[in-house]
Amino acid sequence: MFFVVVLHPSLLIHQLLLQRQLSDTPSKYFFLTNLIVLPVLQISSYPHLSISADLGHEFQLRSTQHLMSSNMPAVEHALLRQRTTDLTPIRHLRYTCVSCEFLVKMAKSKAARKSGETMKITSSCETVVQGTDDEDDEELQRALADDIISASEDEGGSDDERKHCKLLEAISSLGGKKRKKLTERSEASIQVSEFTVNAEGEGDKINLSDLIGTLDKTPSALIKTKKQLKNLQHNQSTLETPLTRKETEKIQREVAFEKTSKEVSRWQSVVLQNQKAEQLVFPLNQEPSGPKRIEQVVAGWKAQTPLEQEIFSLLRMNKQPLHDPVLTPTEEASLRAMSLEEAKIRRAELQKTRVLQSYYEAKAKRGKKIKSKKYHRVQKKVMRKEYLKQFDEMVKTDPAAALEELKKMELSRMKERMSLKHQNSGKWAKSKAIMAKYDDGARKAMQKQLEVNKDLTQKLVIPADEDEEDEEESAETLPDFVNDVEPILDQVNPWMRGKLSTEPMMEESNRLDPPVWPREVGKPGEGRDDQEEDEEQMEETEEESLLRGFEERRKLRQTEDVKVAPMPMEENDEGKKAEILEISDDDEEAVEISDDEEALEVSDDEEAGLSTFTSLFHGLVNHMELPADQPKAGPGLGQGESPALLEEGLVRVRTLEDVELLSQDISASDTALLTTQILGTEETDTQSATRQADKKRKKMIDPNEVLTKEAKVIEMPFAPTAVEDVEDKEEQRVIIKEAFAGDDVISDFLKDKRKQEEAGRPKVIDLTLPGWGEWGGLGLQPSRSKRKRFRVKVAPPPPRQDQKLPNIIIAEKRDSSIAAHQVCQLPFPFENPIQFERTIRSPVGRTWNTQNAVQKITAPKVVTQLGAIIEPIAREDLIKDNRQAVTGPSINLESDQGPQKKRRSQQKKKHKRKKN
Amino acid sequence: MAASSETMLKKPHVGKKRKPPTRYWEGTEEDGKNDGKKQKEGDNNEQTPQQNNTRTKKGGKRGGKRGGAGKKVISGKSDPFPGSAPVPEEKLKKFKRGVKGELPPRPQYKLRDVVIRSEAASDLAQKQNARYDLMLPEDAGFLEGDEDEDTCTISQDDIVDAVDITAGAKYFSLTLSQFGPYRLDYSKTGRHLLLGGRRGHVTCLDWQSKQLMCEMNVMETVNDVKWLHSEALFAVAQKKWLYIYDNKGIELHCIRKFNDVLRMQFLPYHFLLATASATGFLQYLDVSVGKEVVAICTKAGRLDVMAHNPHNAIIHLGHSNGTVTLWTPNQREPLVKMLCHQGGVRSVAVDKTGTYMVTSGMDKKLKVYDIRAYRPLQSYFLPAGASCLSLSQRGLLSAATGDIVQVYRDVWGIPVTKPYMAHRAKGSVWGVHFCPFEDVLGVGHGEGFTSMVVPGAGEPNFDGLDANPYRSAKQRQEWEVKALLEKIQPELIGLDPSQLSQVDHSTWEQKHEDRVQVLGFDPLAKEKFTPRLKTKGRSSSGKVEKRKKQVAHEDQRDVIRQTVEDRMKMDKERKEKEKKKAAAAGQKSALDRFRK
């Protein structure tokens, strides 16, 4: 257990006081002085200990005999967290103390113990006294004193004046000076003696080991602390010796260097940029001179006076343009909205929708009016019945009207008789008459017609409305296509073929809804009105029979169509491969796609034949890969038996693939031609090349025949009349000489050239010394081996410039005069002469350049304003924009634009930086 | 001239099909197209301002080529032609200088920066030059005849009838039959004419205003006359010496160092007067300081054929053995020797661009060479042979055959069969010279001087800073000072004028040689040891020899000592290395004990 009691040294006084106050209660109290950490002190085992510590680190444990009795429980409470290491600067410690209250309580408890009661002292209160000021201390002390007083009052009941005075004195005596004296511990103990405190053995010092020794006896609860203590004992770590001055300085220097280098490196970019800059304009951060553009002026202007600010705020609020006073955003938006094209498009869209709407409305209206057949039937029936009823009534009520009605009927009869509409004379009837042989339905229809006729022509007493209507119905119920052209038997006739172009669509529709085919009876809607059905069975059957005929035919064709594909497979699988067949199928399809009308009409066998033919054709092509199947195709066509097939073949030869093949063929067949052509062209090319070469040769005279070359004769408009008069005799002589010199001109020249070449050739250095190692003398040559050995051969010079120019001698001697003006050493940043030469290739002077260009090219590297103070780059600039070059405007070489542009670009840069 | 009204009714020969010069506002077709496109773009911009904005932003980022594209100005209008105006490609090509280099691969910022900057500068210069090229709007045209009509048959009178009066006034002839055949020279601006008659008549005049500046007779044979840098001075090669007169005819100098001069050439940018003499000397006179630069003995006999290459200021001399030699003042030998004719060379002329050389010889041939590659391009046969040749600024060649002056067009291109123009002079032609910046050919002949009109001969655009035909006296003075300041030193004359912009690749030995040559001694050569004189018989010849021997080959000995030491060191090192190796190898063999 740690028992930590920290007391301010000034509290010692209170201890003393306490001692006095508690003096009537004999013996048992204790006090602990000055901030100490006492490890594992079981006070019970050391009842007579008084622990003291002076301002140093020294512990003093004194036995205060009467402090605690052995049976007093351990003082557990005053555990204060305070580190021992903090001991040293004592004035700055957080002073914690066990308050006087505690002490008082302790005293109380001790008083109580008199009555034989053991009390556990709990640390109910723990006052933490902070501060280092003397004032605080004094306050504390005052408080303590009060407490003490009160305690004493409580305690004793009768507190004499003397004690109080003493206390006051003690308090008043509190001061810096007397403190030391008061802390004298040893004296106190002697004084204490009057309170039966024995000062026996007060001078003895106690070692820590003695304290630890007791630990051994204590039970295992303290093992941990023991360990720690041991560690403490073992830990003999001393403070390291301070570093030498040199070393510390070195470290300091290093740190300082780092710091400064960091500081300086912030300038790096600026310095680099300035080094790189084309032109530096001093003083820095100048406003560019010269006239500004009005935009800049406007943009750069800021409202300063309150009036202006107010105006601007108003403008801003109303979203008026500030800088570019052209259009407000709303105006722009409106303009955008008013864009002509968009408006047009919108209008067109609206129109379209309106038109569509009206169209659909009309359609719906019409559709609404249209009633179904059944509806009409029912309607008619109802009408008929009603009519009959009316007629009956009419007969009864109004016979005149009934007579009228009868007359009407009579009229209709007459009409029928006149027109013979229901006789078998009409077109429909005639067609039916033909069909009637084979078709029951047709026959029936004809009979019906005749019956109608009979009815109509009969003179009726009672009007036979039903028949009439029946007749009408039958006419109505006949499908439209009855009147269409009959299915054409003669497929060859191209005129007939065209009509049926709609068929495939129908076919498709049939395919799409198969329930149509089996029977209409199965339909759910049909079941409702069976009666009507029964009534109209006749007509329906007729219709159906017709329809059935059509459908049957169609179905047949369908199946045939389906069959068409597999057919060739069966036929051709003897020797053909699957791929070929696929190709053929594809071909077939292609055929159908390309000309479906014909393909549909073609009969099965024809088609089959054709497909076989095509497959054969492809097989041939694929197998043999003969490019020349064009001739094959010819006889193939010829083999076709029927004229239809022939025709068909003619039509359908050109499918896509066929076309491709054909093109191949053509290409193949053409290749030969082409090659021949190419050969021809090559020949011509070579010819032309030779011709060109000739031309070149013509253009450039071969240097070998400069003199011998035949020259172009130039026609002269008029012949010269005057002959140059020869002045001097000498000249004449020269001329004569020249005239005759012509022959050896060439040889002279060649000789000269040879001589020059010889002179240019490096000479062999002969180092042979006659007489060395052998006999020497007049007429004796050094031996060949020796000559060979001592002849130093120099590397041959580079080929002469005039090597290939027979009529030219070019001097190989170096012209050193210009060397003095040439650059003899490559300037710094360049790596090779070519780079340098390219940079100086274009002239700089005014003779070759425009004034503007010259000014730009020769702009000085540093420009200073006359009379202006050039200050160093300010730190603020650096911080403001670290990356900004403090350069002036760079010389704009890319384009010839004014200064505004530059400024703008700079502004842009700034913006960018801001973004960054 | 008087009946001009009648003649005007005739079909004019000249200026019929001549297209008017392009003006800067006209532009080429492409430009127009571009403009049209741009216009469209502009329209689009107006329609869709939003899109345009985004586009311009992109453009701005890309490189600012179309920097101001559609940028709104304060008036709210956008620029319909954003960015700088385009420059036609051909013109850019015209002002291209050298090949663009690629950037150095390594990220060396300094080098990169330098390269980039120089590239940008040259680009800018090129572009601006191309742009301002439209300031030279004048275009040259040529005479074009009717169908089946040769232009060479058109006479000067016809031309004069057809052209305006000022142009017509350029055809005139001076009858000066007294003082024999004339040589002539035009000043650099083409304004002044200098005539030198063989029999001593020298005259200079402003030929356009026909104002006589001076006229005199030097009372001596005049071989050649030449204007110096301006019309204030001229040189006359007289019978014995070279004289310099001013334009008032006052003799300023008689240069006796230059004797028997037959032909002269003036190099305007170097202020050098090159003379070729009958004694075979080629001499250079620096007229700015009045000193002879160099006198080269060509060892080729009488030098009466001379021309200079305006491109690189090299002098071409024609010789009687059919060769043409090229000279600079820096070398004592010809740079190039070309065998051009079988007979002697009669005349040489060099193109303004320094590309072509035309020679005529005694073998009656006219040859065209490419003098960059020294290759013959064309060879013509003139029945009469050409005695004088002259090339105009625009590449017309005039050749004098007897008394006929013929002018050829484009002799180096497609072989010509007929002359472009021809004119019969009154006497045998002695000198022909094209007038700079004018369509005029001056012909000096036995009977005086004729100024011919040759359409398309002169450069229509003159450089006002270089040679301004209309300059005032003040301007001339100004120009003179500037020209003198910009004078090119004779050392810089060489075959390749761009050599100056190249790094000198010469070796140390070569440089040393040059130095020795310049200094006249070898600065690195060791002083010869001369033994000190000692008394008391110690300076006897034997002792002196001994002492000499002691010092003899000192440097050589040093070298030897050094090498020996080095070798020893090497040996030692090698041995140590071997030892170490052996140690590393570990095990000593049994035989090692026998090793020393």
Side-chain angles (χ1 to χ4, degrees), chain A residues 316-553:
Chain A
R316 213 163 277 143
M317 269 162 61
N318 296 333
K319 287 185 178 175
Q320 292 295 321
L322 297 176
H323 301 308
D324 196 7
V326 184
L327 291 172
T328 60
T330 48
E331 277 170 339
E332 271 179 1
S334 67
L335 260 186
R336 231 174 288 138
M338 293 281 274
S339 130
L340 182 65
E341 242 175 58
E342 274 180 31
K344 270 183 183 170
I345 291 162
R346 177 102 184 106
R347 190 156 155 269
E349 269 178 17
L350 281 173
Q351 271 180 336
K352 200 182 170 188
T353 48
R354 232 176 287 137
V355 164
L356 276 175
Q357 202 182 344
S358 62
Y359 168 72
Y360 279 113
E361 271 174 6
K363 203 180 172 186
K365 233 178 199 174
R366 214 181 110 257
K368 221 178 175 183
K369 275 180 188 170
I370 295 166
K371 305 291 181 200
S372 67
K373 273 181 189 171
K374 207 181 279 167
Y375 170 85
H376 283 290
R377 256 178 240 152
V378 173
Q379 197 80 358
K380 269 176 195 166
K381 231 169 224 177
V382 171
M383 289 270 279
R384 213 185 298 154
K385 276 174 184 171
E386 230 163 80
Y387 181 74
L388 276 175
K389 267 183 193 171
Q390 274 183 0
F391 191 74
D392 287 341
E393 274 177 36
M394 222 183 271
V395 169
K396 284 168 190 173
T397 54
D398 191 3
L403 268 178
E404 283 262 302
E405 284 293 308
L406 280 174
K407 266 179 190 172
K408 263 186 195 170
M409 276 183 211
E410 186 62 31
L411 196 73
S412 70
R413 194 184 70 91
M414 281 160 74
K415 267 185 186 169
E416 172 62 31
R417 289 192 61 176
M418 296 255 294
S419 66
L420 293 174
K421 195 181 175 186
H422 292 91
Q423 215 73 8
N424 281 349
S425 56
K427 203 177 178 185
W428 175 81
K430 273 176 185 170
S431 70
K432 282 283 174 232
I434 297 162
M435 292 285 284
K437 260 186 196 173
Y438 314 101
D439 204 349
D440 269 21
R443 216 177 297 151
K444 274 179 186 173
M446 273 185 64
Q447 279 172 355
K448 194 115 210 186
Q449 177 97 341
L450 287 173
E451 265 175 51
V452 167
N453 184 38
K454 220 179 257 176
D455 287 344
L456 275 175
T457 46
Q458 248 179 359
K459 231 182 180 180
L460 288 174
V461 184
I462 304 148
D465 298 338
E466 286 170 301
D467 286 5
E468 257 186 359
E469 280 184 15
D470 270 5
E471 184 265 337
E472 273 176 23
E473 263 190 306
S474 71
E476 233 179 38
T477 48
L478 274 172
D480 288 351
F481 54 81
V482 174
N483 293 327
D484 275 352
V485 192
E486 295 219 7
I488 303 127
L489 296 169
D490 191 10
Q491 267 84 11
V492 184
N493 190 354
W495 300 107
M496 302 306 285
R497 247 184 256 153
K499 282 262 176 168
L500 277 173
S501 55
T502 49
E503 260 191 15
M505 274 171 68
M506 284 170 73
E507 199 179 353
E508 273 173 16
S509 68
N510 283 340
R511 264 180 220 160
L512 279 170
D513 38 6
V516 173
W517 172 238
R519 275 227 64 166
E520 259 120 9
V521 188
K523 278 189 176 179
E526 218 90 329
R528 284 180 302 173
D529 15 39
D530 275 346
Q531 298 170 333
E532 288 164 27
E533 197 100 334
D534 290 337
E535 282 179 9
E536 292 147 20
Q537 194 110 38
M538 282 286 281
E539 287 93 29
E540 288 212 334
T541 47
E542 194 184 281
E543 282 173 40
E544 273 165 17
S545 62
L546 272 169
L547 272 172
R548 212 175 292 141
F550 275 109
E551 292 292 353
E552 265 175 339
R553 223 169 293 151

Side-chain angles (χ1 to χ4, degrees), chain A residues 1 21 71 78 218 224 278 564 622 775 887 906:
Chain A
M1 184 208 294
Q21 281 182 355
N71 52 355
T218 52
K224 203 182 166 190
E278 255 170 284
V564 160
N622 284 1
W775 286 107
T887 57
Q906 273 189 341

